[in-house]
Amino acid sequence: MSASTRERTARPRRSRTRSRNISGRPPLAVSTLKPHQYDLRPVCASLICPDCKTWVPITGIQAKRQKLVPHDTGRAGKDAAVRCQGSNRLVTVDIEFEKWQERLEDGSAETTGRRRTTVRRKPKIQPVPAVSQIAAQKQTSSNDEPSDGRPLWLLRKMEWASTESAVRETDTRRAALPDSDAPLGAPLVPLTTLHPKRPAR
């Protein structure tokens, strides 16, 4: 990685540093954080920085003075190189390792107890029928046999018999021509078929 790239992007965080610089801010007490916000194991001692909300290694966890390593606020090699105000801040480890581990295990057990272990399947929802299916159902229901036991063809015949006289009377009146003369001023209807021709140019 070139020097220009190292200056423009965040640098990787080291687990230990030999820098003697110490931040002027008051020491950060571990007891003010929640058990899941810090890790007191010597192999990976770290905590969530209150300023940038990211995990930062604690250097000198087994020494007399512990402090946060210098770190940037963003991801290494991707975000801009902005130094966090929590760099080189002293850390006061005022909680014993056994007590922290016990609190962490109790919290994990309580969280696991609140979670449901049974898997409930989602109820099956019947899909909505299409318009063509609804029309087919209506047509099928209309073509069903009547509930009184008589066949459908007999009902159709009885319905036609009840309306046959009215239908035939209407057809007869439509076929009858009026007795009056043709309207005055109306052109005569040609009795021969006309074949018009285009005039020659």
Side-chain angles (χ1 to χ4, degrees):
M1 184 181 293
S2 61
S4 59
T5 306
R6 189 182 299 109
E7 293 176 359
R8 287 186 286 104
T9 58
R11 289 166 289 186
R13 302 179 182 182
R14 300 179 180 179
S15 59
R16 295 181 181 180
T17 178
R18 296 182 179 180
S19 175
R20 296 183 179 180
N21 297 331
I22 297 177
S23 175
R25 304 178 64 183
L28 175 62
V30 177
S31 59
T32 59
L33 303 176
K34 296 181 180 180
H36 65 276
Q37 293 180 339
Y38 57 90
D39 192 347
L40 297 181
R41 291 175 295 180
V43 180
C44 53
S46 57
L47 57 81
I48 297 180
C49 178
D51 297 315
C52 61
K53 307 300 181 183
T54 58
W55 283 94
V56 182
I58 303 175
T59 182
I61 188 63
Q62 295 179 342
K64 294 182 180 180
R65 302 175 67 180
Q66 298 84 23
K67 66 177 181 179
L68 298 179
V69 299
H71 60 280
D72 296 328
T73 57
R75 294 172 296 179
K78 295 184 179 180
D79 298 333
V82 180
R83 182 65 72 182
C84 179
Q85 296 180 358
S87 300
N88 297 320
R89 185 177 181 181
L90 292 177
V91 178
T92 303
V93 183
D94 52 353
I95 294 181
E96 297 180 358
F97 176 80
E98 291 77 9
K99 186 176 181 180
W100 163 77
Q101 190 174 12
E102 183 180 355
R103 291 177 58 187
L104 189 63
E105 292 177 355
D106 293 343
S108 300
E110 183 180 356
T111 304
T112 306
R114 289 198 302 262
R115 295 176 181 174
R116 293 183 178 180
T117 56
T118 57
V119 179
R120 295 186 178 181
R121 299 184 180 275
K122 295 183 179 179
K124 294 184 179 180
I125 302 176
Q126 187 176 4
V128 180
V131 179
S132 58
Q133 296 177 351
I134 297 176
Q137 292 177 0
K138 290 184 178 180
Q139 185 176 3
T140 304
S141 60
S142 61
N143 295 336
D144 292 341
E145 296 292 334
S147 58
D148 55 359
R150 292 179 295 177
L152 185 61
W153 64 269
L154 181 59
L155 290 178
R156 296 277 178 86
K157 186 176 181 180
M158 294 174 61
E159 291 176 358
W160 170 248
S162 61
T163 58
E164 182 179 4
S165 58
V167 172
R168 294 189 182 280
E169 184 180 356
T170 303
D171 293 341
T172 303
R173 284 184 296 176
R174 287 177 179 176
L177 297 176
D179 297 335
S180 59
D181 297 335
L184 297 176
L188 299 177
V189 179
L191 301 178
T192 58
T193 305
L194 301 178
H195 299 281
K197 296 182 180 180
R198 294 182 179 180
R201 294 182 179 179

